[in-house]
Amino acid sequence: MKNIVLIGFMGVGKGSVAREIVKQSDLVALDTDDIIESMENRRIKKIFAEEGEEYFRSLERKVAQWLQKEVRGTLISTGGGFFKVPNLKKIGTVVYLSAPFETIHSRILEHPDAEKKLRKRPLFQDVDKAIKLYDDRSALYKKVADIIIDVSNKEISEIAKEILKKVK
Ligand code: S3P
């Protein structure tokens, strides 16, 4: 079976959806940010602060190469900018989780751990910049996606079910 690769903007719920898919299936999940943090033994925020964004992107490309070569039949959740790796489509079926910026922003702000969720994301420190990034990326996410799932106003369990049905 091909891998399933979840892409989408920061805070859209890629991690939550991945955990729900794991619950509903016999799939095992990997997360590219988690792989990078464990490779580096430091948080994404620290990698950005100490090495800069380009260094982080080079790690994403390295992980992408490894995923393409070595990983099969796995659910892969990714960081919001991972979709730009040149070999994305060779890793697996690309599923774009889509929602309006305001929905994503409110979802983060309503979370009990909102402050932490924002703090850990270097590219979500300034809302205006995040909106600009969202606007720049929206069309690109759609372009690389094999499947687009509108996640606004849907329960996580419903989203997971929809993805599992569509990738079969
Ligand atoms: C990023 C999204 C983050 C993380 C890094 C960069 C981005 O992941 O990879 O901060 O460029 O959109 P999440 O989408 O899980 O927040």
Side-chain angles (χ1 to χ4, degrees), residues 10 14 33 44 48 56-57 79-81 121-123 137:
M10 294 175 272
K14 298 170 298 245
D33 280 347
I44 304 284
F48 266 71
F56 173 75
R57 300 301 174 200
R121 294 183 160 111
L123 301 180
R137 282 182 180 171

Side-chain angles (χ1 to χ4, degrees), residues 3-4 18 21-22 25-30 71-76:
N3 295 311
I4 303 168
I21 291 177
V22 164
S25 68
D26 54 9
L27 287 167
V28 168
L30 289 178
V71 177
R72 299 289 175 273
T74 296
L75 177 71
I76 300 164

Side-chain angles (χ1 to χ4, degrees), residues 8-12 14-15 31-33 36 44-45 48 53 56-57 60 78-83 117 120-124 133 137 141:
F9 202 69
M10 294 175 272
V12 77
K14 298 170 298 245
D31 180 89
T32 59
D33 280 347
I36 289 171
I44 304 284
K45 190 183 162 192
F48 266 71
E53 181 173 349
F56 173 75
R57 300 301 174 200
E60 288 191 315
T78 64
F82 185 86
F83 75 108
K117 294 226 161 253
K120 74 170 194 178
R121 294 183 160 111
L123 301 180
F124 217 127
L133 193 60
R137 282 182 180 171
Y141 284 129

